Amino acid sequence: MEETVEDPPTSTVLLDHCHFSQVIFNSVEKFYVPGGDVTCYYTLTQQFIPRRKDWIGIFRVGWKTTREYYTFMWVSLPVDLNSDSAKQQEVQFKAYYLPKDDEYYQFCYVDQDGVVRGASIPFQFRPENEEDILVVTTQEELEILKSTAQKLEQEAKAQKDGWETELLQLKEQNQKMSSENEKMEVRVEQLQAQLSTREKEMEKLVQGDQDKTEQLERLNKENSQLLLTLTQQKERQKKLEQTVEEMLKQEETTTLKKQQALKDENAGLSRKLSENKIIYDALQKEKERLERENDLLKRENSRLLSYMGLDFDSLPYQVPTSDQGGAGQHPALVYGNPYSGIQESSAPSLLAVKKCPTCKSDYTGDILDFTSEQQRPQPLCLSCPICDKTFPAKEKQIFEDHVFCHSL
């Protein structure tokens, strides 16, 4: 497979969002000799399905995002994912594209979404040395450690989702501690490798030459110092882990208290909103009822005024006051009592009206007299003052029932 010019899909996903146990790298050497091609062997687990844009990159140890690759190669998709041969895959990196320094690097399998699915143990590019001793960690132990770290990171992230702003400072401290922890782990591995080298040298000195007793004592002293340094590094790492755990517990307690306070406040506001809604609905219904009653009273006033031969718009509007009758005594009447301005003493003035209230015929003041039913003029027809419908004079009862129906 040849490396193409197209850049691989990457992301800013941090280490705590990766799944390192889904792709397992096999037969990774402690170091590779510069100038030669490097073959990377890896195994796909049953939980992982490869895709067309997946790739394997070489990353310097200590990387933070998948954009920090040194070089990469596209992976080849197996024909049958269910076969055993499909699970065992390999890619080859050409010597021209490999790093030229002696820093520590590792293989990382990255899917087309930019998520890391597997990572190898660190290795170097340097010439072979007879004193190099490979320190092997079983894949099962590595998976258990990675799975435990992943679960702890997921639990910590789930507790921090709702309070990212308040936990930003703690997250920065945690990242610094993680960086220091990674450096200490690398240092521990180096110390373990040096310790193993010293032990081998001690065995060779004891078996080969007894005259090198002085050199053996010197190596024993160096070995003791390395053991002491290793113990101190482990203790410091343990203290850092305890500090991070205590800080996360304290932040979790504070978060739960704030969440409970917000829930209580939300419940109180919901109850108050419900009460206000009930009061609003009752007032709205009362308002609608009063408006309907007001409309009925207005129509009734118009009908009565029409019977009396008065025009509602021609009546003078009196603003109700607290010391007057009228609307002050009848709060349900928006326009006041239309009869409040008519006094008993002014009743004879209504008799002087020169138009009939039903047929609108003109009469002189001497002829129009309502004091006697026999002297009242009989109109030829009766006209409804509301809808202008006419009735014969002999159907007076029907006419009155018709007018009354308008008021219902």
Side-chain angles (χ1 to χ4, degrees):
M1 180 184 297
E2 296 181 357
E3 185 175 5
T4 60
V5 179
E6 181 184 0
D7 292 333
T10 59
S11 68
T12 57
V13 177
L14 300 177
L15 295 177
D16 54 356
H17 296 275
C18 301
H19 308 276
F20 294 101
S21 61
Q22 295 183 353
V23 178
I24 301 172
F25 290 90
N26 307 319
S27 304
V28 180
E29 302 293 340
K30 183 179 179 181
F31 61 88
Y32 293 94
V33 178
D37 298 340
V38 174
T39 302
C40 173
Y41 302 93
Y42 61 95
T43 302
L44 304 176
T45 60
Q46 295 180 354
Q47 296 81 7
F48 179 70
I49 299 177
R51 291 181 288 180
R52 187 176 61 88
K53 285 291 185 177
D54 294 355
W55 54 282
I56 295 178
I58 296 179
F59 292 78
R60 180 177 294 179
V61 173
W63 59 273
K64 297 298 181 183
T65 67
T66 55
R67 297 176 181 175
E68 301 177 16
Y69 64 90
Y70 185 88
T71 185
F72 77 98
M73 293 293 294
W74 299 107
V75 301
S76 58
L77 294 178
V79 179
D80 185 8
L81 293 175
N82 297 324
S83 63
D84 295 338
S85 61
K87 301 299 181 181
Q88 304 293 333
Q89 299 291 324
E90 65 180 56
V91 294
Q92 189 177 54
F93 291 88
K94 298 299 182 181
Y96 177 79
Y97 300 102
L98 297 177
K100 304 299 187 293
D101 54 17
D102 58 352
E103 296 290 337
Y104 281 92
Y105 293 89
Q106 63 180 156
F107 297 116
C108 291
Y109 189 104
V110 185
D111 64 9
Q112 68 179 16
D113 297 327
V115 179
V116 179
R117 300 295 181 176
S120 70
I121 62 174
F123 56 85
Q124 291 179 292
F125 293 95
R126 60 182 178 84
E128 184 177 3
N129 191 346
E130 295 180 356
E131 295 181 356
D132 289 330
I133 299 176
L134 179 63
V135 178
V136 179
T137 302
T138 63
Q139 188 65 33
E140 182 179 359
E141 294 176 351
L142 181 62
E143 291 181 359
I144 293 174
L145 292 175
K146 290 179 179 178
S147 177
T148 303
Q150 182 181 1
K151 290 179 180 179
L152 292 175
E153 292 293 338
Q154 290 177 352
E155 292 176 359
K157 185 178 184 303
Q159 295 172 357
K160 294 186 293 182
D161 284 341
W163 307 95
E164 292 181 355
T165 304
E166 296 180 4
L167 296 180
L168 181 59
Q169 185 177 2
L170 178 61
K171 186 175 181 180
E172 293 176 354
Q173 295 177 358
N174 190 16
Q175 290 178 353
K176 292 180 181 179
M177 292 179 182
S178 299
S179 178
E180 294 178 0
N181 190 16
E182 291 176 358
K183 293 179 181 179
M184 286 189 290
E185 288 178 355
V186 174
R187 180 59 179 168
V188 168
E189 292 178 358
Q190 294 176 353
L191 293 175
Q192 289 177 347
Q194 293 178 5
L195 180 60
S196 300
T197 303
R198 298 301 182 185
E199 289 176 352
K200 294 295 183 180
E201 292 177 357
M202 287 173 58
E203 292 177 358
K204 290 181 180 180
L205 290 173
V206 171
Q207 295 176 0
D209 192 356
Q210 296 296 333
D211 295 335
K212 297 183 179 180
T213 304
E214 184 177 351
Q215 184 178 0
L216 181 60
E217 292 177 355
R218 179 178 60 81
L219 292 175
N220 284 331
K221 184 177 180 180
E222 293 178 357
N223 188 19
S224 299
Q225 292 178 353
L226 290 174
L227 288 174
L228 179 60
T229 304
L230 179 61
T231 303
Q232 292 176 352
Q233 294 289 349
K234 289 182 177 180
E235 291 179 353
R236 184 179 178 185
Q237 180 180 357
K238 185 176 181 181
K239 290 180 180 179
L240 288 174
E241 292 176 353
Q242 292 176 352
T243 302
V244 172
E245 184 177 359
E246 291 176 357
M247 294 175 69
L248 291 176
K249 287 182 178 179
Q250 292 177 358
E251 189 63 29
E252 180 183 4
T253 302
T254 304
T255 301
L256 291 176
K257 289 181 180 179
K258 291 183 178 181
Q259 288 179 349
Q260 187 62 36
L262 290 175
K263 288 180 180 179
D264 295 340
E265 183 180 356
N266 189 19
L269 292 175
S270 298
R271 288 193 298 270
K272 187 174 181 181
L273 180 61
S274 300
E275 294 174 357
N276 292 337
K277 184 64 168 59
I278 293 173
I279 296 173
Y280 172 78
D281 292 341
L283 293 176
Q284 187 68 21
K285 291 180 180 178
E286 181 66 17
K287 177 185 175 183
E288 293 175 356
R289 184 184 67 79
L290 292 176
E291 289 178 351
R292 289 194 298 270
E293 291 181 358
N294 189 27
D295 292 339
L296 291 175
L297 290 174
K298 288 170 62 179
R299 289 196 293 269
E300 181 66 16
N301 290 342
S302 299
R303 185 181 68 81
L304 293 176
L305 290 172
S306 298
Y307 272 118
M308 296 170 60
L310 299 177
D311 189 1
F312 180 78
D313 296 334
S314 64
L315 291 177
Y317 175 71
Q318 297 180 356
V319 179
T321 58
S322 59
D323 58 344
Q324 293 180 355
Q329 299 176 358
H330 303 279
L333 300 179
V334 178
Y335 296 95
N337 189 353
Y339 309 106
S340 60
I342 303 175
Q343 306 296 331
E344 293 181 358
S345 59
S346 62
S349 64
L350 296 176
L351 301 177
V353 178
K354 296 183 179 181
K355 286 188 178 182
C356 176
T358 56
C359 65
K360 309 299 181 180
S361 301
D362 294 334
Y363 295 95
T364 60
D366 298 333
I367 299 175
L368 185 58
D369 186 4
F370 297 100
T371 58
S372 176
E373 183 67 26
Q374 297 178 354
Q375 298 176 359
R376 180 179 300 172
Q378 299 295 329
L380 298 177
C381 63
L382 300 175
S383 178
C384 177
I386 298 175
C387 64
D388 295 333
K389 186 175 181 181
T390 58
F391 296 86
K394 60 183 180 179
E395 297 179 356
K396 180 179 179 182
Q397 185 62 39
I398 298 176
F399 166 73
E400 292 178 354
D401 293 341
H402 170 78
V403 174
F404 179 72
C405 289
H406 283 295
S407 64
L408 294 179

